[in-house]
Amino acid sequence: MSARSMLLAAEGLRVRFGNAEALRDVHLDVCAGEIHAFLGPNGAGKTTTLRVLMDLQRPDAGTVRVFGAPLDRSDGAWRGRIGWLRGENALFPFMRAQAVLDLLQALSGAKATRQRELLEIFGLTDEVLRRRIGALSSGMRQAVAIVAAMQHDPELLLLDEPTNALDPIVRARFLAHLRVLRGEGKGILLSSHVLDEVEAVADRITLIHRGAVLMSTTLRELAERLPRKVRVILADGTTREWLAPRADTALLRELAALEPAAVNIEDAGLEELFRSLGEEAA
């Protein structure tokens, strides 16, 4: 990837809260025309990283460059070129939804050229927009927050758990829209803790756990690293479970030696993946 296409780059980020180290040497970048998934369990450091990228949390060490310029020496004009969705929905509960969108559009300094398109994607009708934020369902509040982050057609999107509370149909429409934006050359950092959510859209995946990046890779390479969960029921009724590497050529011999009554083998989940990668790194 050329430096010309790099929209955001973070190197060596470290953040401490008292004696707790929230981020440890985090490296992360986003290029134009890609969806980069930032994947990790809750509490892994995803939100802290995004707060550093938005200059809302100063790191104890490390650097961030946005649109080619050092973040700590910029004049703040870059904010209007970014769409940021907070992990916690912090909209104003006593304001009407349309008024919130209008206010945040004005603060961005850019026209809301994609507002109507986004409202249709999320099914936010004029009747819904007349309601106060606090009277909306959690899914509708999340949809309004996403529209607010994306309505000014930003070049770079930083989305923290965007599909939280969205129903399956709306979620599918939203992910399809991210693919459209990627085709337009937008750069998207998609934070999530759900592996199957990002499989349909991500070009690259960075895995973070306990404040440290475990790996940054493609979906295909990640699938090759994903361990398998093996569950065996023996003849006496007892059960054994373990994680086996995908390339474990000795697995069939091991199973045959156990003479099991039943065997189930499936891809491991996200927690098992992080546990196996953490053991490799230890």
Side-chain angles (χ1 to χ4, degrees):
M1 295 179 187
S2 68
R4 184 180 305 173
S5 68
M6 191 80 70
L7 302 181
L8 181 147
E11 297 183 356
L13 298 182
R14 292 182 179 272
V15 173
R16 297 188 66 89
F17 297 119
N19 294 325
E21 196 168 28
L23 297 181
R24 293 181 286 133
D25 197 30
V26 169
H27 294 255
L28 189 68
D29 61 72
V30 184
C31 293
E34 77 161 349
I35 299 175
H36 190 155
F38 193 36
L39 197 63
N42 290 328
K46 301 187 301 295
T47 295
T48 300
T49 302
L50 264 67
R51 287 180 59 82
V52 171
L53 299 181
M54 284 299 298
D55 202 25
L56 297 174
Q57 170 72 51
R58 288 297 174 93
D60 295 297
T63 61
V64 177
R65 297 181 69 87
V66 59
F67 304 118
L71 188 65
D72 58 358
R73 282 180 278 177
S74 69
D75 59 5
W78 55 271
R79 292 182 184 275
R81 301 168 64 188
I82 290 180
W84 180 46
L85 178 72
R86 295 172 179 264
E88 68 284 356
N89 196 310
L91 299 179
F92 311 102
F94 300 108
M95 290 183 66
R96 301 187 190 279
Q98 184 63 65
V100 168
L101 294 178
D102 293 343
L103 172 63
L104 295 178
Q105 176 266 319
L107 292 175
S108 74
K111 294 182 179 180
T113 55
R114 301 197 86 136
Q115 185 184 108
R116 184 52 54 185
E117 174 188 8
L118 291 163
L119 293 176
E120 291 177 0
I121 289 172
F122 290 105
L124 296 173
T125 64
D126 290 342
E127 188 275 327
V128 171
L129 295 175
R130 286 193 291 268
R131 299 185 202 170
R132 299 185 189 280
I133 292 293
L136 298 179
S137 67
S138 57
M140 287 184 176
R141 288 197 300 272
Q142 183 71 354
V144 172
I146 294 172
V147 173
M150 300 171 64
Q151 63 181 346
H152 58 293
D153 198 23
E155 300 168 54
L156 174 64
L157 288 166
L158 306 181
L159 306 176
D160 194 359
E161 305 280 359
T163 62
N164 278 354
L166 297 182
D167 69 49
I169 294 176
V170 173
R171 173 179 172 271
R173 289 177 185 165
F174 169 68
L175 294 177
H177 185 63
L178 292 186
R179 290 193 288 270
V180 171
L181 296 178
R182 174 180 58 193
E184 295 176 359
K186 314 295 187 190
I188 302 167
L189 182 63
L190 176 64
S191 165
S192 179
H193 65 274
V194 183
L195 181 58
D196 64 359
E197 175 176 281
V198 303
E199 285 181 323
V201 296
D203 302 293
R204 287 193 292 154
I205 292 182
T206 291
L207 304 180
I208 185 171
H209 188 46
R210 296 177 180 172
V213 169
L214 296 181
M215 65 188 303
S216 187
T217 184
T218 65
L219 276 170
R220 176 176 295 182
E221 291 170 344
L222 179 63
E224 293 172 354
R225 297 285 298 273
L226 193 66
R228 293 179 292 184
K229 185 187 297 184
V230 182
R231 186 173 187 269
V232 173
I233 300 178
L234 302 177
D236 61 3
T238 58
T239 300
R240 287 186 57 189
E241 293 185 0
W242 70 94
L243 293 178
R246 185 165 295 276
D248 187 357
T249 57
L251 179 60
L252 290 179
R253 293 195 299 272
E254 186 176 354
L255 290 174
L258 292 173
E259 298 183 350
V263 176
N264 183 64
I265 301 176
E266 60 186 19
D267 285 339
L270 188 61
E271 288 298 330
E272 290 86 2
L273 172 62
F274 279 112
R275 186 165 70 246
S276 67
L277 289 174
E279 289 171 353
E280 290 179 18

